[in-house]
Amino acid sequence: MKNYYAFEKLNPKEFILGAEKQHIFLNMLDIVCKGNLTLFTQSFSNFVHLFQSDSFYIAHNLVFYKGKKAICKGHVVKALKTQLIDFIEYAINHDDLRSFLITPIIANPNNKQVFYLTEEGFYLYEI
């Protein structure tokens, strides 16, 4: 399975590779699977105020399973808040919104949250 979606409209960005990419993605996926759904909305304008950090990881939620092991086949990138919001709004306005997992890059590892974006709506999961 090839992933040709490369976050072209998100600039500047920093691609995360290798074991770090897998680690970040699997942590986000774990929060979505085991965390509490604290918000659902179909309006990004009702959701965007929750983006409190200055920078975020965003992952194309493209997963391949080998047995019970999940493997990220999408890209994971690091982006600044302003560019990330512009990127998401562009994707929404041009019918190019993919399934994304987004987590803030913060110093406090106890505050774990993942924003899960889909064409159907916007979800916030927290542990």
Side-chain angles (χ1 to χ4, degrees):
M1 175 186 345
K2 291 271 186 191
N3 175 27
Y4 298 105
Y5 189 77
F7 293 94
E8 290 177 8
K9 299 290 183 190
L10 179 59
N11 289 304
K13 62 185 169 272
E14 175 187 334
F15 284 94
I16 309 300
L17 304 172
E20 184 181 11
K21 169 187 158 181
Q22 279 298 116
H23 177 75
I24 292 167
F25 179 79
L26 292 176
N27 281 341
M28 287 193 285
L29 191 61
D30 192 51
I31 292 170
V32 170
C33 292
K34 296 178 182 173
N36 298 313
L37 175 62
T38 57
L39 176 69
F40 168 75
T41 183
Q42 292 180 316
S43 169
F44 187 65
S45 62
N46 292 338
F47 195 71
V48 71
H49 73 279
L50 299 169
F51 286 58
Q52 298 293 316
S53 181
D54 292 331
S55 57
F56 293 83
Y57 291 117
I58 178 171
H60 183 198
N61 188 19
L62 189 59
V63 183
F64 172 77
Y65 287 91
K66 188 171 185 177
K68 292 184 180 182
K69 183 178 180 180
I71 300 168
C72 176
K73 288 294 189 174
H75 292 292
V76 176
V77 299
K78 181 179 178 180
L80 298 174
K81 175 182 174 176
T82 305
Q83 286 79 12
L84 178 64
I85 292 170
D86 290 346
F87 167 77
I88 294 167
E89 289 174 341
Y90 179 89
I92 292 168
N93 293 333
H94 289 86
D95 294 324
D96 193 32
L97 186 64
R98 310 295 172 105
S99 178
F100 296 125
L101 298 176
I102 301 170
T103 193
I105 301 172
I106 55 175
N108 183 359
N110 295 327
N111 184 13
K112 297 179 182 178
Q113 59 182 194
V114 171
F115 303 96
Y116 178 37
L117 283 60
T118 69
E119 292 179 348
E120 291 80 33
F122 309 100
Y123 306 82
L124 174 60
Y125 290 90
E126 296 180 298
I127 291 183

